[in-house]
Amino acid sequence: VVKKVRDEERHILAERAMGNFWMMKDLKETDGKPILTSTTLIQESDAQVFPPLGHWISLEEGSQAVYQVPEFFLRNNRADDAKAQCTLATVVFKQYGAQMLDTWTEPFQSAFQGNNRVEIVHLNITEGWFLSKLQRFLTRSARKHTPEERWPTTLLHYASNTDDPDLANFKDTLRIHNTLTAYLYLLDGLGRVRCAASGKASPEEADSLIQFAKDLTPLLMNSAKLPTNKRKKKNRQHR
C-alpha cells in the first residue's frame, strides 16, 4: 500500500541491485504483483501525495514543452477540490510492463467515456545514459505505436543518470523497485494516491478500480446521470 513514508523508513534492499534476474524472480514470487491492489480507498489522512518529478515531455508536443508531475495532473482543477476530478496515473519503464496496461485502462476508459474530469495519464520512464541519447528516435517510435488521441496525456521521462536523487525518491515513494512490471495509481483532485496496483488486472480488480474512481468523484457521477434522465423524460413526453 502506498502511504506516507517517514524519512527513516526510506531504504532499498541490496538484492534489488541484482537486475533483471532478481526482478523476474520477484514477479514469480509475487504472482506478477509487487504491489497488491488496494482493497479499499486509502484514507485522506494516510494518503501520499504523488511524488514530484520534472522534465517530462508529451507525445503531442515533443520537446517543445516540459512538464512536471504532479502539477500536470492538477492542471484542470482550478478549484483545488479533492472531489472535482480523478486521475489514473500509469507508470511503466519497459515494454513488458506496458503490455499489461490494457487490462486496467480499457475497462476504465469505457466506464468514463466522455467524462473529462476523469482521465488516464500514461507515464513512461526510460533509464540509462545510452538510451537517453536515443531520445528523439524513441519518442518518434512511441508516437508511431500510440493512438493519437492518447498523445496529449502520454508523458515521457528520459533519465540519463540512474542515480538521480529525484528519480530515486519518485520510485521509492511509489514502491517501484521492480521496473519490469506496470504500476497504476488512482489520484484524487489534490494529487493524492488513494489506490495503487501493479501487474495485470483481473476482472474483479478492474471493476474495483472503476468503483473507487466513482467514490472519489461522487458529485460528478451524480451530475453525469442528469442529462440521461432528462432525455428519457423528454422522450416519454414526446410519445
Side-chain angles (χ1 to χ4, degrees):
V1 178
V2 177
K3 294 184 179 180
K4 292 179 181 177
V5 180
R6 298 189 299 270
D7 288 339
E8 61 269 21
E9 293 177 328
R10 299 182 184 277
H11 62 279
I12 298 178
L13 298 177
E15 63 179 340
R16 288 175 180 152
M18 293 177 63
N20 286 356
F21 175 78
W22 172 83
M23 292 181 188
M24 291 301 296
K25 182 173 180 289
D26 178 57
L27 291 183
K28 184 176 181 180
E29 292 176 348
T30 60
D31 197 23
K33 293 181 176 293
I35 292 180
L36 294 177
T37 305
S38 303
T39 55
T40 60
L41 282 174
I42 300 172
Q43 296 297 313
E44 292 183 2
S45 58
D46 292 327
Q48 167 72 51
V49 174
F50 199 88
L53 188 63
H55 303 290
W56 296 87
I57 63 174
S58 78
L59 281 186
E60 182 179 45
E61 300 169 287
S63 58
Q64 296 178 4
V66 179
Y67 297 97
Q68 310 246 353
V69 297
E71 288 81 0
F72 184 83
F73 306 135
L74 312 178
R75 67 196 185 283
N76 297 321
N77 190 3
R78 298 178 181 178
D80 290 331
D81 184 352
K83 298 180 180 180
Q85 69 173 52
C86 179
T87 303
L88 177 61
T90 74
V91 182
V92 296
F93 290 75
K94 297 176 175 64
Q95 184 61 26
Y96 183 79
Q99 295 172 347
M100 304 177 183
L101 290 178
D102 285 349
T103 60
W104 298 95
T105 58
E106 287 187 356
F108 193 89
Q109 185 71 44
S110 177
F112 298 105
Q113 193 75 35
N115 189 331
N116 61 5
R117 306 301 288 182
V118 179
E119 72 171 354
I120 302 173
V121 176
H122 297 275
L123 303 178
N124 298 343
I125 300 176
T126 300
E127 293 182 289
W129 177 85
F130 177 74
L131 290 178
S132 69
K133 297 303 179 183
L134 301 176
Q135 178 174 331
R136 290 185 179 181
F137 170 78
L138 293 174
T139 301
R140 286 197 300 268
S141 178
R143 286 168 65 96
K144 181 179 179 180
H145 293 94
T146 302
E148 189 171 353
E149 62 269 19
R150 274 178 42 188
W151 288 3
T153 52
T154 298
L155 303 183
L156 312 179
H157 178 87
Y158 293 94
S160 59
N161 179 11
T162 55
D163 294 325
D164 176 22
D166 291 335
L167 179 58
N169 176 71
F170 178 88
K171 293 164 67 176
D172 198 34
T173 301
L174 294 177
R175 310 297 194 272
I176 299 176
H177 302 300
N178 187 329
T179 57
L180 282 182
T181 192
Y183 295 86
L184 301 96
Y185 305 91
L186 190 64
L187 315 180
D188 62 21
L190 299 181
R192 296 174 298 195
V193 178
R194 305 297 302 278
C195 170
S198 63
K200 292 183 179 180
S202 67
E204 294 76 18
E205 288 175 319
D207 289 343
S208 293
L209 185 67
I210 292 168
Q211 184 58 53
F212 288 154
K214 292 179 179 180
D215 293 342
L216 288 177
T217 55
L219 297 179
L220 296 179
M221 295 304 107
N222 291 334
S223 63
K225 298 176 182 178
L226 294 179
T228 302
N229 293 336
K230 289 181 179 179
R231 284 195 296 270
K232 289 182 178 179
K233 184 177 182 181
K234 289 181 179 179
N235 290 338
R236 287 197 297 270
Q237 290 175 347
H238 181 70
R239 291 175 185 175

